[in-house]
Structures are given as C-alpha cells and as structure tokens.
C-alpha cells in the first residue's frame, strides 16, 4: 500500500515518535511505501511531500516538534479543498492517509472520510488532552511535566519573597494541564475554563493561607479561564488568521486584581510555548509509538474513519466521529478533588 502521513495543528512532543513508528511498522510488517506531507493539510492541498523511509526517520524518537512541519490549514476553509485532497491522493496513487492531530486536524479528517470518502486513519495528539474517545493524547504528559517543574521553581522564589505567583498554562477550552500540573505542583488555587471563577473567592483563599501563616501562594490558571459573569471585566481579545481566539493575559489581570484586593505582592508568569517545545517524556514516547503502530496496522486492515485511542491501558480503534464530536473537559469530581488543597 502507498500511504500519506501528516501532522497538523499545534506541534507537540511525541509527533516524531509517532511518525517513526508508522514508518517502521508500515515498512517492515506491511510493506507500505510512505509519503510525508509538509505542514499538515497544506501539504496535501498543494501536494508537497517527501518519501519517508526507515533511514530518513532514524534518530527522531527523542526530538520535539515534527520533522514534517505543521500548520492549522483546514481543507474545508476553501471551496476546492476536498477536491484538491482527492486529486493529490490520486496523483500519488495513495491508498490512504494517516492524520496526526487534535480536534481541528482530525475534525477535517473525519469530514473528508464521511462526506468525501477520503480514506483516513487518525492519531490523537495535543498537549491539551481535550480529545474525546481516548483517555490521553500524547504531548500532554510532557506539557504537564514542564509546567510542574516550573511551578516547583516558582514555589521557592514565591516563598522567599512572600509573594503570590500566578502561573498561566495552556488550555483554551479545557483545563487538563492546569488541573494536573496544579495538583502535581501543590497549587493553592487552580482556575480552569470549565469553572468560571469569582475573584473574591480567589482572594479569600489566598487570605486564608496568610491567616494560617503561609505568606506565599501559587495560583495556576489555564489561559482560557474566565471570571464568572459580572464579577470582573476582561478585555476583548482578537482572533488569529484561522479564527481561533488569541488567548493569554488572564494571569496579568489576576496579578493586578489579587495585589489590589489583598495588598499581597503578586507576580504573574506565562509558560506559553515552553510547554509544547523540547523532548517528549518517556511516557509520551511510548504512547506515541503505540499509537503509530496501531495506525499502521489500521491502515493495513483498511479500517478507514477510525482513530487509535488509549482505553485504560489498551490501544483500541475508535470511530473518528466519536473523537471529534465534542471536546473532553475536566469532570467536576476531579476538580473537586483538586480543591481539597485550595487555600
Ligand atoms: O492546541 C494546542 C495549543 O498549544 C493550545 O493549548 C494553545 O491555546 C494553542 O495551541 C496555541 O496556539 P498557537 O501556537 O497557534 O499560538
């Protein structure tokens, strides 16, 4: 079989491990010939590709980013998109495509399969861990490790200066990184998009710590966290060229409000893309490798329209439609568990 591979959306640690596994398993077990498209769906639309071989994918397992490049190009944003995808597949005589991505990339893959019969298999990646139908996506564990290390470091300086530190982590619609890094790092308050916050309650938690003789606090906030309606004014934010709201800035608002309301010295830190860069953790390398192998096997079995998923400890194939129907959000009981340690 002749198979295309692409990586789309925001990059994340583990993409190269997945590519390597798809190639290794595909070539050795199934006799596949593989082509890597440049920059996600853009490379498919414009037929920009390179052959992927065992030799060309050697040594990439521990490397962050993606050797194929990535973009947020969505084939459905242009009228002739699906037709161009089909044309590229025909030109290269491809039997199918493995799309490695998050909700946008796999959302496009699902529609291409369902509406246009383009044969696709999905591999779930995103540091946000917000894809449904899989317990975890690769990239998440690395992002949580980076954020936890940062929180540990901020702890010691917060304690030395008796300061409140507001740490902003990624997560537009889902607070998985904030929740896990906050729990692992011993945060005193965690704010996530799923639970609009009340600034007065946040300040009360920080004051309670002071009353107990702890003169510093760590507040971990997901970039998409929002105040409860009517409790605090946040400024309007623009959108990027793909229509995504540009986030970032909530930590500065919290810094100002907490300091003004409590009188405690406060600093904010935005971890930003450091969470997405660099080498994947061992866990993410293994997960990405297992997903890659499952995807190569799914292709060989022509299980189009499916995605490799982690269910418990097993890798299974699930319908792509189940993965992209709605985002996977932090459940209330997990947030309540974390709240045990607030204040
Ligand atoms: O989806 C992954 C992610 O890192 C989000 O957590 C974040 O909101 C977004 O991508 C940032 O996108 P960009 O790299 O385009 O600024």
């Amino acid at each position: 079989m002749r198979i295309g591979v692409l990586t789309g959306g925001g990059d994340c640690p583990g993409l190269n491990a997945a590519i390597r596994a798809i190639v290794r398993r595909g070539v050795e077990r199934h006799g596949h010939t593989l082509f890597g498209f440049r920059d996600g769906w853009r490379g498919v639309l414009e037929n920009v590709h390179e052959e992927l071989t065992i030799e060309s994918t050697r040594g990439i397992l521990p490397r962050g980013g993606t050797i194929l490049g990535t973009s947020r190009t969505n084939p459905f944003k242009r009228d002739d998109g699906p037709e161009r995808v089909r044309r590229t597949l025909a030109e290269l005589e491809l039997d199918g495509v493995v799309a490695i991505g998050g909700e946008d990339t796999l959302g496009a893959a699902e529609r291409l399969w369902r509406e246009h019969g383009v044969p696709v298999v999905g591999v779930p990646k995103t540091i946000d861990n917000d894809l449904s139908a899989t317990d975890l996506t690769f990239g998440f564990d690395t992002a949580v490790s980076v954020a936890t290390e940062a929180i540990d470091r901020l702890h010691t300086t917060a304690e030395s200066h008796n300061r409140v530190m507001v740490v902003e982590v990624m997560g537009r619609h889902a607070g998985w990184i904030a929740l896990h890094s906050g729990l692992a790092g011993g945060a005193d308050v965690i704010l996530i998009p799923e639970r609009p916050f009340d600034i007065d309650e946040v300040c009360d938690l920080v004051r309670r710590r002071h009353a107990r003789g702890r003169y510093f606090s760590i507040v971990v906030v997901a970039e998409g966290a929002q105040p409860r309606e009517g409790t605090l004014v946040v400024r309007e934010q623009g959108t990027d060229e793909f229509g995504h709201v540009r986030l970032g800035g909530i930590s500065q608002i919290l810094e100002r409000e907490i300091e003004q309301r409590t009188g405690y010295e406060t600093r904010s830190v935005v971890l930003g893309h450091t969470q997405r860069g660099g080498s994947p953790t061992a866990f993410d390398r293994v997960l990405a490798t297992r997903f890659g192998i499952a995807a190569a096997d799914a292709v060989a079995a022509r299980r189009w329209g499916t995605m490799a998923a982690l269910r418990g400890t097993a890798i299974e194939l699930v319908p792509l439609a189940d993965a992209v129907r709605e985002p996977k959000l932090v459940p209330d009981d997990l947030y309540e568990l974390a709240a045990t340690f607030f204040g």
Side-chain angles (χ1 to χ4, degrees):
M1 290 171 92
R2 292 164 66 84
I3 304 299
V5 181
L6 66 91
T7 52
D11 72 334
C12 82
L15 286 167
N16 288 324
I19 295 168
R20 168 180 173 269
I22 292 165
V23 173
R24 185 68 162 256
R25 181 74 152 199
V27 171
E28 291 207 330
R29 171 71 67 98
H30 304 295
H32 293 161
T33 302
L34 293 123
F35 300 88
F37 287 108
R38 291 299 309 171
D39 303 337
W41 289 113
R42 186 192 297 155
V44 186
L45 293 172
E46 296 167 11
N47 195 357
V48 185
H49 65 270
E50 64 203 71
E51 191 173 342
L52 293 174
T53 62
I54 290 179
E55 288 67 36
S56 73
T57 52
R58 266 195 215 292
I60 63 173
L61 170 67
R63 274 171 57 189
T66 161
I67 58 164
L68 294 176
T70 186
S71 75
R72 297 195 188 273
T73 303
N74 183 336
F76 288 95
K77 289 277 160 69
R78 46 190 294 174
D79 291 342
D80 64 346
E83 184 43 42
R84 288 182 76 121
V85 169
R86 283 159 57 106
R87 200 188 311 157
T88 297
L89 263 66
E91 280 168 11
L92 287 175
E93 296 177 13
L94 295 186
D95 294 284
V97 173
V98 178
I100 312 173
E103 58 170 323
D104 289 342
T105 305
L106 296 184
E110 195 274 329
R111 277 188 71 187
L112 283 166
W113 163 243
R114 180 167 43 86
E115 296 175 12
H116 302 274
V118 175
V120 247
V121 164
V123 171
K125 70 85 217 179
T126 163
I127 64 165
D128 296 342
N129 193 38
D130 59 353
L131 213 52
S132 291
T134 182
D135 290 349
L136 289 172
T137 52
F138 67 80
F140 173 62
D141 185 67
T142 308
V144 169
S145 300
V146 171
T148 302
E149 197 203 327
I151 293 167
D152 286 349
R153 289 175 184 277
L154 292 168
H155 241 119
T156 61
T157 168
E159 188 166 10
S160 305
H161 287 264
N162 290 334
R163 281 175 175 160
V164 179
M165 283 284 180
V166 181
V167 191
E168 182 176 314
V169 299
M170 281 185 167
R172 291 165 184 274
H173 311 294
W176 290 103
I177 299 176
L179 199 279
H180 278 241
S181 64
L183 257 178
D188 307 299
V189 182
I190 301 172
L191 304 175
I192 61 174
E194 293 88 336
R195 307 272 293 228
F197 64 87
D198 183 333
I199 187 68
D200 287 328
E201 287 172 13
V202 173
C203 291
D204 283 347
L205 287 167
V206 172
R207 283 195 201 95
R208 195 169 85 183
R209 264 177 72 76
H210 273 239
R212 289 171 167 174
R214 301 295 274 163
Y215 300 117
F216 70 97
S217 292
I218 303 285
V219 177
V220 175
V221 57
E223 61 184 336
Q226 294 286 332
R228 215 173 281 158
E229 217 173 316
T231 56
L232 191 66
V233 179
V234 293
R235 85 191 126 82
E236 291 282 309
Q237 289 149 335
T239 52
D240 66 15
E241 59 176 314
F242 301 104
H244 294 114
V245 176
R246 253 183 206 280
L247 298 173
I250 189 67
S251 56
Q252 281 100 327
I253 294 167
L254 285 163
E255 173 189 294
R256 191 187 60 222
E257 293 294 330
I258 292 171
E259 186 162 297
Q260 276 175 8
R261 289 164 189 250
T262 63
Y264 306 145
E265 198 180 7
T266 306
R267 293 284 190 275
S268 61
V269 179
V270 181
L271 298 187
H273 292 79
T274 53
Q275 295 158 94
R276 262 183 24 202
S279 193
T281 58
F283 181 89
D284 276 339
R285 294 180 201 189
V286 173
L287 184 61
T289 298
R290 294 178 75 198
F291 281 160
I293 285 177
D297 292 350
V299 159
R302 297 184 183 274
R303 298 282 308 276
W304 310 123
T306 63
M307 181 187 85
L310 181 72
R311 297 292 189 96
T313 56
I315 304 290
E316 297 176 5
L317 291 181
V318 298
L320 261 175
D322 290 355
V324 298
R325 194 167 294 125
E326 54 188 2
K328 182 180 67 191
L329 302 178
V330 172
D332 280 347
D333 59 343
L334 192 54
Y335 188 77
E336 294 306 331
L337 180 151
T340 309
F341 303 95
F342 291 0

